[in-house]
Amino acid sequence: MKNILFINTGGTISSSGEQGGGLTPTQSAEHIVAAVPELKDICNIEAMTLMSVDSTNIQPEEWVTIAQTVHEHLPHYDGIVIAHGTDTMAYTASALSFMLGALDKPVVITGSQVSVLAEHSDSRINIKDAFRTASTELSGVFVVFNGKIINGARASKVRTKSYNAFESINHPYIGYLEEDSIVYNDIPHTQRPAGHVYNDHYSPNVFLLKLIPGMQPDIFDAVKALGYKGIIVEGFGMGGVPFKEINLIDKIEELVKSGISIVVTTQCLYEGGDLTIYEVGQKVLEKGVIPCYDMTTEALTTKMMWVLGQTDHPAEVERMMATNYVDEITMPIR
């Protein structure tokens, strides 16, 4: 049997209302494992509680703590399962994907929409599925939820209450967990870039700006004044940015020339953006912004933080943002 480390970080799965004032994480890693007795037939488990945090309160510093713990312990185990709150799980999964580098073992993140203490909870099946996945020969970071295995840098929480809270965005599911087997999708192997090794350096100075009709250009002055080094602009449709009655493009050009890296993406969840199709995309692309194609917001945000932790040179930021490290991006074929 495989030897798996279980790391509890908190979230709904470990929550109770016993302290009043709403659900809060209280259960230890050992309590969660004890609630799923079938695990003893799947693998050997060692459990540890790293932190007990509602994932809304998870910050980049906690990503580093989790990454360092995984990096330290993974050589001694066949895989690792992490229990995490669902609200920012996709951000943590993406951040770990970039920080941990190329892996030869599975790191699986899961959680639940209902506490492990509840009678009708999705926690027990999700935990069981996570340990089943961590006991396979997969390599990389994955989110396992509601019977699906998702690339960690392609996961996104799309429902607030339902058990099928997560979906794989613009990428096939890695596989599906059935009662007695795991069914894998036939996904072409992508060559990993050389030199993608453990590196937990990051910059928190990344701002996400969602455009709305009527937004004034001086918003960019305010963002610059706050000291942000990277800006992610969620444009309309394929990534369009207005330039007529209200002109945001000139202000974007000004910031790019000042050395701030700006990525333009789409507000649409599926199918990605393409700045080459419409005039409203071409004009902003000409100003030196970085296209992001079909990355999720979570992957795009954490990747830019990670990239800016390595370099603030605009040309190198652009190169790294366009590099496919963990199948987080699909580059178009021209």
Side-chain angles (χ1 to χ4, degrees):
M1 296 174 72
K2 297 290 184 72
N3 297 309
I4 308 298
L5 175 64
F6 177 51
I7 302 173
N8 177 33
T9 68
T12 296
I13 194 168
S14 67
S15 289
S16 69
E18 62 189 36
Q19 296 178 358
L23 290 171
T24 188
T26 59
Q27 302 301 299
S28 68
E30 290 79 8
H31 284 138
I32 296 173
V33 170
V36 193
E38 312 96 282
L39 294 178
K40 67 180 184 298
D41 300 321
I42 297 174
C43 57
N44 301 314
I45 301 171
E46 289 192 32
M48 64 179 292
T49 296
L50 183 63
M51 60 187 77
S52 293
V53 183
D54 186 305
S55 72
T56 295
N57 287 319
I58 292 282
Q59 301 297 329
E61 305 93 272
E62 279 74 44
W63 299 339
V64 173
T65 299
I66 297 169
Q68 289 175 344
T69 304
V70 171
H71 182 64
E72 175 186 350
H73 288 86
L74 190 57
H76 309 294
Y77 296 89
D78 297 303
I80 289 179
V81 172
I82 302 170
H84 193 286
T86 60
D87 290 349
T88 61
M89 183 186 294
Y91 286 96
T92 297
S94 292
L96 293 181
S97 297
F98 300 119
M99 289 180 175
L100 292 175
L103 298 174
D104 59 359
K105 298 175 183 178
V107 174
V108 180
I109 306 175
T110 194
S112 65
Q113 294 284 68
V114 180
S115 168
V116 72
L117 299 177
E119 182 178 356
H120 300 292
S121 172
D122 58 332
S123 59
R124 285 174 282 278
I125 186 63
N126 286 346
I127 284 290
K128 181 179 176 181
D129 286 348
F131 277 97
R132 290 172 63 195
T133 303
S135 299
T136 68
E137 300 305 313
L138 286 172
S139 58
V141 178
F142 305 95
V143 168
V144 169
F145 214 92
N146 193 48
K148 302 178 182 70
I149 305 172
I150 305 172
N151 178 317
R154 292 285 190 164
S156 188
K157 185 176 182 181
V158 298
R159 299 176 184 87
T160 60
K161 301 176 183 178
S162 303
Y163 286 174
N164 60 335
F166 287 85
E167 291 190 7
S168 181
I169 308 301
N170 301 322
H171 191 275
Y173 291 104
I174 303 301
Y176 301 85
L177 292 124
E178 299 183 346
E179 187 171 342
D180 299 316
S181 63
I182 300 177
V183 178
Y184 296 101
N185 278 320
D186 185 15
I187 301 173
H189 177 73
T190 300
Q191 185 69 34
R192 295 288 187 263
H196 186 206
V197 297
Y198 180 84
N199 187 326
D200 60 26
H201 297 163
Y202 74 94
S203 169
N205 296 316
V206 173
F207 189 83
L208 175 65
L209 178 65
K210 182 173 184 174
L211 300 188
I212 61 170
M215 181 174 286
Q216 298 300 309
D218 56 6
I219 186 68
F220 289 96
D221 294 323
V223 173
K224 180 181 179 182
L226 289 170
Y228 286 97
K229 301 300 182 184
I231 302 174
I232 299 164
V233 177
E234 287 191 350
F236 302 112
M238 289 285 190
V241 176
F243 64 86
K244 286 197 171 182
E245 288 81 5
I246 292 179
N247 183 357
L248 301 184
I249 291 180
D250 285 351
K251 189 61 68 172
I252 288 174
E253 180 183 23
E254 180 183 317
L255 266 62
V256 169
K257 288 181 176 179
S258 74
I260 296 174
S261 295
I262 298 183
V263 173
V264 175
T265 183
T266 173
Q267 297 179 15
C268 299
L269 187 60
Y270 292 103
E271 299 180 349
D274 188 339
L275 300 180
T276 68
I277 295 178
Y278 294 97
E279 184 183 20
V280 289
Q282 291 177 355
K283 281 187 175 294
V284 74
L285 187 60
E286 292 169 356
K287 305 304 182 183
V289 303
I290 305 169
C292 81
Y293 306 108
D294 66 347
M295 276 189 279
T296 66
T297 295
E298 296 90 341
L300 183 55
T301 304
T302 55
K303 184 176 183 178
M304 196 167 203
M305 288 182 176
W306 179 73
V307 167
L308 287 171
Q310 325 307 313
T311 179
D312 59 2
H313 191 280
E316 183 64 5
V317 171
E318 181 173 8
R319 184 195 68 80
M320 293 182 71
M321 291 301 296
T323 299
N324 185 23
Y325 291 96
V326 289
D327 285 338
E328 77 278 7
I329 185 172
T330 307
M331 302 298 290
I333 300 174
R334 299 299 184 191

